[in-house]
Amino acid sequence: MLIADGLATHRISLAAALDRAFYDVIVTGSGAEALRAMRRERPDLVIASTALPDLDPTRFCARAQALAGGGDMPLILLGGALTRPERLALLAAGADDVLSAPVDRSLLLAGLRNRLRARAADAELTLRDDTRLALGLAEAAGAAIQSPARVALIEISAEHGIPPMLERLRSLVPDRIELLAASEALRATASPPEAFIIVETGNQPHGGLALLTQLRASPSARNAALLYVGCASRPRQAAAALDLGADDVLMGALDPDELALRLPRQIARKRNRDRQRANLRDGAQAALIDPLTGLYNRRYALPHVARLLERATERSRGFALLLADLDHFKQVNDRFGHAAGDVVLREVARRLNSILRPSDLVARIGGEEFLVTLPDATAETAHAVAQRLRASVAARRFALPGTPTRLPVTLSIGLALSGSGAAPGADALLERADRALYAAKDAGRDRVMAWADPHDTTCRAVGAAR
């Protein structure tokens, strides 16, 4: 963390306070010295005086922003009795916050904690996003056209003439600003607001804090941008709001002009985080889903088998595992091409899925090999389901693109069952199903072969009648 202040007493006092809060501090006495240190040390956060001896604060903000290079290096300015136009000018120049003297230390430290947490969270999401780009799991995002956001403004009690200020705010930002009661804000909707502005008014000194806490815990609103407008006489309340999850705080009366500077930053950050979270979900899906068939892949299916087998053992329930393989599939690719083979695989996946229960799982674990799990299955039901799966593939020929050919396709299935007692491990059960599958192939294909006894250590497979 970097401090820039021309007055030695201010530097020493602030550095001591930050040292007691366990921050590593770099101390500088001028704007030029601070900029050199920023370039050299890349601090996590900068605290600068508005009265630097060599640079006016607006120029310092601009140069600090240029050094950050689009990155996130929060800048907090500490000043004397700043006028409202001076504060607004510094916020417009890029300062994250401007605090006037005397600065409440609890509010300052809460602001530092808040911005450092936000910076760390953003950096983690960005790192994961960069990793996905490096692995080829995503494309770099271009500049998107931003649509207006839905913003809810909530005053805890209607006593401070909010409507005129609301109209002023609407004239300054493109977003859709609506006045909501606290009870309406907590009501889950299909399209919740992207940002909430909580105005602490009335005789409930902690009503806004309670609402803020509830919004942060709400599944529909927890990722929204939360801005808290606190009373100037209660800085510790504003500090509590930051520690409870507010993204930004404003002190004093609701100022539409200041909100118009702060709100777009928080909406942009919220949308960037949403995009990065979506990228992470897409990356996880890409890692676990077979892109051709939409089924789970081997990476997901094998740990899933282990979990299901463990649960079946704990509950003394049966569990069946099927391995299915298309017969002579190589001939399909060789004769009709891989595009035709892909059509067959997708249709086989669709037919298998249509037979199974929601609790069952079918996954593609190889080129033309599928795995099916049947929890809570007896030997009889497992045999019956396996035969239905086999019949669903063999019953109707497959239409191929660009040709009138209707291709017959068959499926061989190996079945292994863990009994209701002590079960084999997942690897052993997979091996039994695999051997049963090979037995089905050796017996002529287009059939189901099952392990004769789930507790038998020998490899005896028996065929089920077609």
Side-chain angles (χ1 to χ4, degrees):
M1 191 173 301
L2 186 144
I3 296 172
D5 197 314
L7 291 177
T9 54
H10 290 180
R11 294 196 301 269
I12 294 169
S13 174
L14 183 55
L18 296 181
D19 184 66
R20 287 194 297 271
F22 304 103
Y23 291 113
D24 293 326
V25 180
I26 304 165
V27 178
T28 62
S30 69
E33 187 183 350
L35 293 169
R36 286 194 296 271
M38 289 168 63
R39 186 181 295 108
R40 182 178 65 250
E41 304 291 343
R42 307 299 300 176
D44 295 319
L45 187 143
V46 177
I47 305 173
S49 169
T50 59
L52 294 170
D54 56 341
L55 284 176
D56 71 77
T58 304
R59 283 188 63 202
F60 180 77
C61 284
R63 292 179 64 177
Q65 289 292 314
L67 275 177
D72 189 8
M73 191 186 296
L75 173 60
I76 296 177
L77 296 180
L78 306 182
L82 296 171
T83 66
R84 178 175 174 273
E86 287 172 338
R87 277 178 46 79
L88 296 178
L90 292 174
L91 289 169
D96 290 87
D97 207 350
V98 182
L99 301 178
S100 297
V103 176
D104 183 88
R105 286 289 168 86
S106 65
L107 179 58
L108 174 62
L109 292 174
L112 300 185
R113 291 190 294 269
N114 173 275
R115 283 172 172 79
L116 290 174
R117 281 195 304 269
R119 185 180 188 274
D122 289 345
E124 178 66 19
L125 286 172
T126 300
L127 178 62
R128 295 183 185 184
D129 218 16
D130 290 345
T131 300
R132 293 183 66 252
L133 286 169
L135 293 174
L137 296 175
E139 296 181 1
I145 298 174
Q146 296 296 325
S147 59
R150 181 182 171 216
V151 179
L153 192 150
I154 306 156
E155 60 173 335
I156 301 307
S157 64
E159 295 180 2
H160 282 61
I162 293 293
M165 299 180 187
L166 177 59
E167 291 308 312
R168 169 66 178 165
L169 180 60
R170 284 172 174 162
S171 71
L172 294 172
V173 297
D175 307 300
R176 301 190 304 274
I177 316 289
E178 55 188 271
L179 191 60
L180 288 185
S183 58
E184 294 175 310
L186 293 170
R187 189 176 300 131
T189 63
S191 56
E194 290 187 74
F196 292 87
I197 303 167
I198 301 172
V199 184
E200 190 78 83
T201 57
N203 299 319
Q204 304 176 53
H206 300 292
L209 294 182
L211 175 60
L212 189 154
T213 304
Q214 290 176 288
L215 287 173
R216 248 327 154 226
S218 166
S220 61
R222 64 187 174 203
N223 292 326
L226 297 184
L227 290 85
Y228 178 86
V229 182
C231 301
S233 60
R234 297 173 184 161
R236 291 179 182 267
Q237 191 169 305
L242 288 167
D243 284 332
L244 289 171
D247 294 293
D248 206 354
V249 298
L250 290 77
M251 299 298 295
L254 178 64
D255 187 335
D257 295 88
E258 184 170 345
L259 264 176
L261 293 170
R262 293 180 181 266
L263 182 60
R265 297 178 189 176
Q266 297 304 330
I267 291 172
R269 172 168 282 172
K270 186 265 182 194
R271 288 180 170 181
N272 186 51
R273 289 176 176 176
D274 286 348
R275 180 189 62 78
Q276 290 173 322
R277 289 190 191 99
N279 284 346
L280 291 177
R281 287 193 296 269
D282 292 345
Q285 186 177 45
L288 301 175
I289 301 294
D290 170 47
L292 177 64
T293 62
L295 301 177
Y296 283 110
N297 61 17
R298 186 182 192 90
R299 181 181 293 177
Y300 178 88
L302 298 187
H304 186 68
V305 169
R307 289 193 298 270
L308 289 177
L309 185 57
E310 181 181 354
R311 188 175 68 178
T313 304
E314 290 173 352
R315 299 180 180 181
S316 298
R317 306 293 292 271
F319 172 67
L321 177 68
L322 313 181
L323 288 181
D325 190 86
L326 296 180
D327 298 324
H328 303 298
F329 185 71
K330 185 176 183 298
Q331 295 178 11
V332 176
N333 283 331
D334 291 346
R335 182 179 175 188
F336 299 100
H338 287 279
D342 290 348
V343 169
V344 170
L345 288 170
R346 283 194 291 267
E347 176 61 15
V348 167
R350 189 195 66 78
R351 294 186 190 184
L352 297 182
N353 245 335
S354 68
I355 300 294
L356 299 172
R357 305 167 299 177
S359 59
D360 302 331
L361 173 87
V362 56
R364 183 187 177 202
I365 60 170
E368 63 268 24
E369 189 172 12
F370 299 85
L371 177 148
V372 178
T373 62
L374 303 175
D376 298 327
T378 64
E380 292 76 16
T381 57
H383 275 278
V385 171
Q387 287 291 0
R388 289 174 63 200
L389 294 173
R390 182 201 61 77
S392 72
V393 173
R396 299 193 315 277
R397 296 192 171 206
F398 287 65
L400 301 182
T403 173
T405 302
R406 298 282 174 167
L407 185 68
V409 177
T410 60
L411 190 70
S412 297
I413 298 177
L415 186 157
L417 188 76
S418 75
S420 58
D427 290 342
L429 197 66
L430 280 163
E431 183 182 0
R432 293 180 181 187
D434 192 50
R435 292 190 180 185
L437 172 61
Y438 275 101
K441 296 282 189 181
D442 292 342
R445 295 181 172 84
D446 190 20
R447 67 193 65 228
V448 176
M449 297 291 279
W451 198 269
D453 182 350
H455 305 299
D456 196 345
T457 58
T458 62
C459 180
R460 292 191 293 115
V462 297
R466 288 167 51 195

